[in-house]
Amino acid sequence: MVHWVSDSEDSDKFEWDTDGEDAGSFNAAASGSSALASRNFDAPGPSTKVANANGTAWPSASSVQKYVDMGFPEEMVLKAMKDNGDNSADSLIELLLTYQAIGNDPSVDMGSASRCVPQAAKDSDDDDDLENWDDNDDLEGPTFDESSDEDFLHEMSQVDEKVDYLVKVLGFPEGEVTMAVTRCGQDASISVLADSVYASQTAGGCCGNSSDHEDNSYGGRKKGRPMEGNNRKRKRFGGQAQGSRGALDGNDESMNLPNPMVGFNLPNGLRSVNRSLPAQAIGPPYFYYENVALAPKGVWATISRFLFDIQPEFVDSKFFCAAARKRGYIHNLPLVNRSPLLPLPPKTIFEAFPRTKKWWPSWDPRRQFNCLQTCVASAKNLERIRLALTNSEDPPPLGVQKYVLEQCRKWNLAWVGLNKVAPLEPDEMEFLLGFPKDHTRGISRTERYRSLGNSFQVDTVAYHLSVLKDMFPHGLNVLSLFSGIGGGEVALHRLGIRMNYVISVEKSEVNRTILKSWWDQTQTGTLIEISDVQTLTSEKLEAFIRRIGGFDLVIGGSPCNNLAGSNRHHRDGLEGEHSSLFFHYFRILDSVKAIMAQL
């Protein structure tokens, strides 16, 4: 079992599901393969099977032990001998290595061994199985097409698991999921299948219209009911109830996600949307909220109800950089006169890291990385990949190719040598996310990955915030909630927008240190840091507003620990311990608007 342990002693953990891969046995088999290479398995030899009393052929104990001594599990050897039939010992070895490479351990099927589940730090906001598989990154080349019944049944069980996940966890209709499998194929990742269902739903709904308006009902969602005892809010916002909510996760409500996730418009003009905001949503202040796009069913409908029924803008950062990052943004910013950061960042792996091209195999079709995570692959995992390729011909068998590609996509591995892959370095992640070099340097490597994995993609956010530059030529005052390592602040700085005052609220001391260090090196305004969003009361907000003259922008992205698909034990939606902090974003924004309206 591979363990992912944070440097922090109090960090939570969650489990990654695997395909039954036995890390130890694969390592042992691979390390023993150098001895196998010196043997002539094409030479004739004694039969590996003996007959029992009924005349049925069974493998002999000595022949089984020979392969067990090489490091293969006994159950795997028995299965491989059965599937191999009377073929040569060479083909038996290849079959055993293929089983190991693709994680097809027969002990899983026979119920005699438990799954190996690597662990990672629970604080991840992006280690999402859905997030980690880009919709354009599905396998384009080789596919595993073994013809045995066992492989077919194993493949079908994987399809069933995907269908169950999409139906039971994400809440899609089973019929639509089945159709998505038919359209995309049984090898399609959960992310691809989810996008296919969304696309199908969008095609039949109103949200595919290029002139959507926020005051229209979209995605079949119901308008929320006013909160009881909310007369004070009705008075504040012109008599209309704000912050309506039913069940927090809105289990009876769904919101269609666009495919592709291009938002309301992109720098290349791929799509353009006109919208009219409800009166109570119009600034000041402007506000900007972010979270993961592929949240549990009903989450975005609930978030939208609380934030003035504004339609989310769903954007994948792969249109801005060389890595995918599917996010939803709810804001009241203008949509016209947006402009991207210059120079434009590279949008492919080879443009971002040209040194990798020398080693990139032709059978790896990736041109962009998947969502950047808060943890990375272990050295043991990288060694298993190297040995699997070293002990294979060039190009490797299709089963080995599929195994390697799955690992490369899951962990965003880059080719750095012959048969050698490695995770992205923290400074490479900084580059992809739009942060300045060494922005997170000075803390532990594990903390750097965690902080970067939980951050904004600066170029994407800056494109949305760029409309503020001409509106605030003398600078603006910012209330930054859940600031992290300052993605919003870096975006404003790179746009050339002066920040006169920033009230930053961030729980992590490490992140506060990163932001303060960057601020002291680059800014002339005033930074005030607060450690806990729950302590930011209306009284404190009023004191800040009177002191600085009000906020021009309220920006933030609340934790998504209970929204990300990888957190299967605590994927509780907005009722979760961490993700429920969204309601503090709403509470604080509500208070700011009310206080500023009275001044």
Side-chain angles (χ1 to χ4, degrees):
M1 180 178 293
V2 182
H3 294 276
W4 304 103
V5 183
S6 166
D7 287 354
S8 173
E9 294 181 357
D10 59 350
S11 63
D12 295 322
K13 312 290 189 301
F14 70 89
E15 295 181 343
W16 279 96
D17 273 352
T18 68
D19 294 326
E21 173 189 335
D22 187 328
S25 60
F26 182 84
N27 227 16
S31 62
S33 59
S34 59
L36 300 178
S38 64
R39 301 182 185 181
N40 182 6
F41 289 105
D42 291 328
S47 172
T48 60
K49 298 183 178 181
V50 295
N52 64 7
N54 297 324
T56 305
W58 287 97
S60 66
S62 60
S63 61
V64 172
Q65 188 60 43
K66 178 176 69 173
Y67 295 103
V68 171
D69 292 341
M70 294 176 186
F72 297 101
E74 182 178 356
E75 294 90 349
M76 177 177 289
V77 174
L78 292 171
K79 180 182 187 301
M81 286 182 170
K82 177 182 177 182
D83 293 346
N84 192 53
D86 294 326
N87 294 323
S88 67
D90 192 13
S91 64
L92 176 59
I93 289 293
E94 183 176 355
L95 186 58
L96 284 167
L97 289 173
T98 300
Y99 281 166
Q100 291 283 22
I102 65 173
N104 188 14
D105 190 334
S107 62
V108 175
D109 294 336
M110 299 168 67
S112 59
S114 60
R115 287 180 178 266
C116 172
V117 282
Q119 295 180 340
K122 178 183 172 184
D123 291 50
S124 164
D125 105 342
D126 278 342
D127 333 353
D128 188 342
D129 283 352
L130 300 175
E131 294 287 323
N132 292 343
W133 296 81
D134 184 13
D135 56 351
N136 283 345
D137 268 347
D138 51 318
L139 196 61
E140 298 174 1
T143 55
F144 185 66
D145 57 359
E146 282 288 340
S147 58
S148 70
D149 292 339
E150 290 288 345
D151 288 327
F152 174 77
L153 292 174
H154 178 71
E155 183 176 327
M156 292 308 297
S157 68
Q158 290 180 319
V159 173
D160 291 340
E161 289 177 2
K162 294 176 185 177
V163 172
D164 286 345
Y165 184 84
L166 289 165
V167 173
K168 296 178 181 178
V169 178
L170 297 186
F172 292 121
E174 185 172 358
E176 294 186 21
V177 174
T178 303
M179 289 298 297
V181 173
T182 302
R183 287 193 299 269
C184 302
Q186 296 175 356
D187 287 337
S189 68
I190 290 178
S191 174
V192 172
L193 295 174
D195 280 349
S196 177
V197 176
Y198 282 132
S200 176
Q201 292 175 341
T202 301
C206 65
C207 68
N209 194 320
S210 62
S211 59
D212 292 337
H213 293 269
E214 273 81 316
D215 51 358
N216 293 333
S217 174
Y218 56 95
R221 65 178 177 82
K222 303 175 183 178
K223 291 289 183 179
R225 298 184 298 275
M227 296 175 65
E228 295 182 7
N230 203 29
N231 294 331
R232 187 165 59 95
K233 291 188 178 65
R234 295 174 194 244
K235 184 176 181 180
R236 291 181 190 174
F237 299 115
Q240 182 172 345
Q242 154 62 9
S244 50
R245 68 186 273 192
L248 295 187
D249 286 337
N251 291 327
D252 60 338
E253 303 176 7
S254 62
M255 181 175 292
N256 296 329
L257 273 67
N259 186 15
M261 289 187 185
V262 296
F264 295 150
N265 56 57
L266 290 175
N268 59 13
L270 180 62
R271 182 172 183 253
S272 181
V273 172
N274 297 318
R275 70 173 185 176
S276 57
L277 293 168
Q280 70 271 23
I282 298 175
Y286 289 101
F287 63 89
Y288 187 84
Y289 175 81
E290 180 258 17
N291 217 313
V292 293
L294 295 174
K297 181 180 178 181
V299 165
W300 275 107
T302 300
I303 294 174
S304 175
R305 285 205 309 274
F306 273 80
L307 297 180
F308 310 99
D309 279 321
I310 296 178
Q311 178 181 354
E313 180 171 12
F314 293 107
V315 185
D316 191 333
S317 68
K318 70 180 183 180
F319 297 106
F320 290 87
C321 69
R325 202 174 192 78
K326 297 178 174 69
R327 292 292 184 270
Y329 306 88
I330 292 183
H331 60 84
N332 62 347
L333 296 167
L335 304 183
V336 296
N337 297 324
R338 289 173 163 181
S339 58
L341 285 175
L342 298 176
L344 295 175
K347 294 184 176 62
T348 67
I349 295 173
F350 295 157
E351 290 172 344
F353 309 115
R355 292 194 306 270
T356 64
K357 190 171 184 179
K358 176 181 178 181
W359 306 108
W360 210 273
S362 60
W363 46 268
D364 185 344
R366 293 177 299 150
R367 294 299 176 265
Q368 288 185 307
F369 291 112
N370 291 317
C371 189
L372 303 179
Q373 304 176 119
T374 59
C375 55
V376 296
S378 70
K380 289 183 179 180
N381 198 10
L382 303 179
E383 178 65 3
R384 288 199 297 273
I385 293 173
R386 188 188 69 80
L387 289 173
L389 294 172
T390 301
N391 295 313
S392 300
E393 55 187 8
D394 186 18
L398 298 183
V400 174
Q401 289 184 32
K402 181 177 180 180
Y403 161 72
V404 173
L405 285 174
E406 286 176 347
Q407 295 301 307
C408 287
R409 285 172 167 167
K410 176 182 288 187
W411 298 110
N412 280 322
L413 303 178
W415 295 92
V416 296
L418 179 62
N419 296 330
K420 182 180 180 181
V421 291
L424 294 169
E425 294 295 325
D427 59 331
E428 293 173 327
M429 287 182 62
E430 288 175 345
F431 177 70
L432 290 170
L433 290 168
F435 288 94
K437 183 175 175 56
D438 297 330
H439 185 72
T440 59
R441 194 167 182 177
I443 61 176
S444 74
R445 183 182 176 89
T446 299
E447 292 290 354
R448 290 185 75 184
Y449 282 122
R450 177 181 298 179
S451 296
L452 288 163
N454 286 321
S455 71
F456 285 157
Q457 203 289 320
V458 172
D459 299 275
T460 307
V461 173
Y463 179 66
H464 298 157
L465 299 181
S466 61
V467 296
L468 299 173
K469 185 171 183 178
D470 293 336
M471 299 170 65
F472 296 94
H474 302 296
L476 44 66
N477 298 331
V478 180
L479 176 56
S480 178
L481 306 176
F482 316 103
S483 299
I485 56 175
E489 290 82 347
V490 171
L492 291 169
H493 172 68
R494 291 191 59 194
L495 287 166
I497 300 176
R498 172 181 165 79
M499 290 166 279
N500 298 321
Y501 284 92
V502 171
I503 311 299
S504 170
V505 187
E506 169 57 38
K507 183 177 182 180
S508 168
E509 183 178 358
V510 168
N511 289 345
R512 293 199 304 272
T513 299
I514 293 171
L515 176 57
K516 183 64 165 63
S517 175
W518 172 83
W519 183 275
D520 291 343
Q521 297 175 60
T522 61
Q523 305 301 305
T524 58
T526 301
L527 173 68
I528 300 174
E529 293 189 306
I530 299 174
S531 62
D532 190 350
V533 70
Q534 299 178 78
T535 66
L536 192 56
T537 62
S538 295
E539 290 74 20
K540 290 183 179 179
L541 286 167
E542 183 172 357
F544 282 129
I545 289 172
R546 291 185 181 278
R547 173 182 171 184
I548 68 177
F551 292 108
D552 304 302
L553 174 66
V554 179
I555 186 172
S558 56
C560 65
N561 301 57
N562 308 116
L563 306 183
S566 58
N567 193 354
R568 296 191 179 102
H569 295 296
H570 303 285
R571 198 167 190 250
D572 305 321
L574 294 177
E575 292 181 335
E577 175 185 359
H578 302 284
S579 295
S580 62
L581 292 174
F582 156 74
F583 297 105
H584 284 284
Y585 180 96
F586 157 71
R587 172 186 65 80
I588 293 169
L589 175 62
D590 181 23
S591 294
V592 169
K593 290 180 70 68
I595 295 168
M596 290 180 61
Q598 294 171 0
L599 296 179

